[in-house]
Amino acid sequence: MSLCTSNLHPSPSSSINLFSCNNNNSSKPFTINSLRFATSTSSPPLNLSITTLPLSSRFSSDRIQSRQLWLHCATSESEPSISVVPGKERVKVLVIGAGGREHALCHALKRSPSCDSVFCAPGNPGITSSGDAACVPDLDVSDSSAVVSFCQKQNVGLVVVGPEVPLVAGLADDLVKAGILTFGPSSKAAALEGSKNFMKDLCHKYNIPTAKYKTFSDASAAKEYIQVQGVPIVIKADGLAAGKGVTVAMELEEAFEAVDSMLVEGVFGAAGCQVIVEEFLEGEEASFFALVDGENGIPLESAQDHKRVGDGDTGPNTGGMGAYSPAPVLTKELQDVVMETIIHPTVKGMAEEGCKFVGVLFAGLMIEKRSGLPKLIEFNVRFGDPECQVLMMRLESDLGKVLLAACRGELKGVSLDWSKDSAMVVVMASRGYPGAYEKGTIIRNFEEAERVAPGVKVFHAGTGLDEEGNVVASGGRVLGVTAKGKDLEEARERAYMAIGQVNWPGGFFRGDIGWRALLQKQQVASSKE
């Protein structure tokens, strides 16, 4: 059975539906919206449906009307992508994206000895003002041919794709086809995030520990199953739903409403045409990242984020209100277990399915209370946000060199160097988030915030400029105020001191980021007394 499906049938909406592979012995490429795929010759798999969002939807609203005020234009003259330095390779790098994750990646790549220069498309005001990259606002990242043309014109030697939407849509496929090294998976491999059903089926086939589940396209059948299983229970939209497609239902009525909203009302469009009903796992969540070159995987440092919007982990889920690294819950022993039982089998399984994965695997884990062992909640095929911010602050290795090695299948034997310091990021969001929120509120005092203590960096996630050139909020999660310290306590103190300097009446933040780790540390200290 092959899970790597490739008979694609474009639906009237902007989704891409994947069904079983051909049984014949021919394997010919075909084109859909300029993205090229090759059909598989393997045996029929389960039917899968991968839903994409229009690429332009992720970025169009963030192309601030006054972008000419804050973004440097890319130079029109082409320079060699690789500078010849004895014993060292230096490349021009293009980072795709506009958020805090991309700002953190640009910040790390800028200090990378392997990077000659860094572009970011479309980028944001913070990336420009900090000098972390030259932003290219007019490059339409939803147009693969335009991205390829830019890379060829500027002799870009490495592309790092930040968000999931262009990956699922096939941007990496087109870049690789053009001979441009790209850190990010193919469209087929990105199905690990693009279809939760795909991910679950892969787990089932390769014995990767995950929650018990069943997939439905009929609302009545889903409700009958939920009635039998009882609550609490988890309902997930199969496709990409901008981080909003998961409901943890504590009551039957809540579970039924989630099913109806997806399968009957179609609130997520084609992304919700299938739902996964999953057992509720009790324990502590953690984030685990591994760099993968198609056959080998190497772990990054541990991190843990806070999904709920309110203090004490209350309120609705968000994209993440803060994170810290390292995460005490992920001990060295547990990290070894994750690599052995989750990451390595996934990398091997994807290769066996003809979908070699190149990029970063972001495993959302539950350290189960009952067993103390990790189970996979979900896979993302890109760096987490805001986890990326704390990881890039602690990374001491040459990021550009490592990503090039991943693109070339050369990660075997590679190890990464990390600062012994801790890092914490506290997200500042627009009031009302994750519901309706106001855009255009002015934010000031970034420099004052970064000067409040050593090791402080303010990453921009959802900012733009108004007509007067003021930095304004343009999204829900707007800033990632990040700090390093000798331990988590010092990193936390510095991050909140920096937040105290930011002048933004239209924003809010959680006041308890890191509470689980600090509580665990206190409990360990008490037990030794």
Side-chain angles (χ1 to χ4, degrees), residues 74-293:
T75 56
S76 58
E77 295 183 3
S78 176
E79 299 175 8
S81 63
I82 300 177
S83 301
V84 180
V85 179
K88 290 188 177 181
E89 174 186 12
R90 290 174 59 82
V91 299
K92 289 184 177 181
V93 182
L94 170 64
V95 176
I96 300 292
R101 165 184 49 223
E102 289 74 38
H103 192 174
L105 289 170
C106 289
H107 181 63
L109 288 165
K110 177 192 173 186
R111 63 180 191 265
S112 169
S114 295
C115 294
D116 195 38
S117 58
V118 183
F119 298 106
C120 187
N124 66 46
I127 295 173
T128 296
S129 62
S130 63
D132 287 323
C135 292
V136 194
D138 294 321
L139 178 57
D140 183 359
V141 296
S142 67
D143 183 350
S144 294
S145 61
V147 178
V148 169
S149 177
F150 175 86
C151 292
Q152 291 172 337
K153 185 175 181 179
Q154 296 297 331
N155 282 324
V156 168
L158 172 66
V159 176
V160 181
V161 185
E164 68 277 13
V165 174
L167 290 170
V168 173
L171 177 59
D173 303 65
D174 290 351
L175 287 164
V176 170
K177 182 182 175 184
I180 300 164
L181 290 176
T182 303
F183 184 77
S186 67
S187 177
K188 291 180 183 179
L192 277 174
E193 178 171 0
S195 170
K196 295 177 182 65
N197 187 55
F198 176 93
M199 183 274 286
K200 285 290 197 176
D201 287 347
L202 189 84
C203 289
H204 177 72
K205 183 174 180 180
Y206 292 95
N207 298 314
I208 298 166
T210 189
K212 183 175 69 173
Y213 75 102
K214 197 166 183 179
T215 303
F216 298 91
S217 57
D218 177 74
S220 297
K223 291 177 184 178
E224 288 178 9
Y225 179 78
I226 292 169
Q227 184 82 49
V228 172
Q229 298 301 314
V231 291
I233 201 161
V234 182
I235 296 90
K236 298 180 177 181
D238 177 52
L240 297 179
K244 300 177 182 178
V246 179
T247 297
V248 180
M250 307 307 290
E251 304 290 340
L252 280 175
E253 184 178 352
E254 185 182 8
F256 292 164
E257 287 176 356
V259 169
D260 284 338
S261 70
M262 297 177 197
L263 293 180
V264 179
E265 299 165 19
V267 294
F268 298 122
C273 64
Q274 285 192 124
V275 299
I276 288 79
V277 180
E278 187 177 275
E279 75 169 314
F280 175 81
L281 297 177
E282 187 176 1
E284 188 169 352
E285 291 188 44
S287 303
F288 189 92
F289 299 86
L291 301 182
V292 179
D293 68 2

Side-chain angles (χ1 to χ4, degrees), residues 384-399:
D385 187 342
E387 295 95 334
C388 185
Q389 286 84 314
V390 290
L391 291 174
M392 293 303 103
M393 288 288 279
R394 294 189 60 216
L395 181 67
E396 293 185 341
S397 293
D398 183 335
L399 179 61

Side-chain angles (χ1 to χ4, degrees), residues 409-428:
E410 299 172 353
L411 279 182
K412 189 173 183 179
V414 171
S415 60
L416 301 175
D417 296 323
W418 298 91
S419 167
K420 293 181 180 179
D421 288 345
S422 295
M424 177 179 288
V425 56
V426 181
V427 170
M428 299 188 74

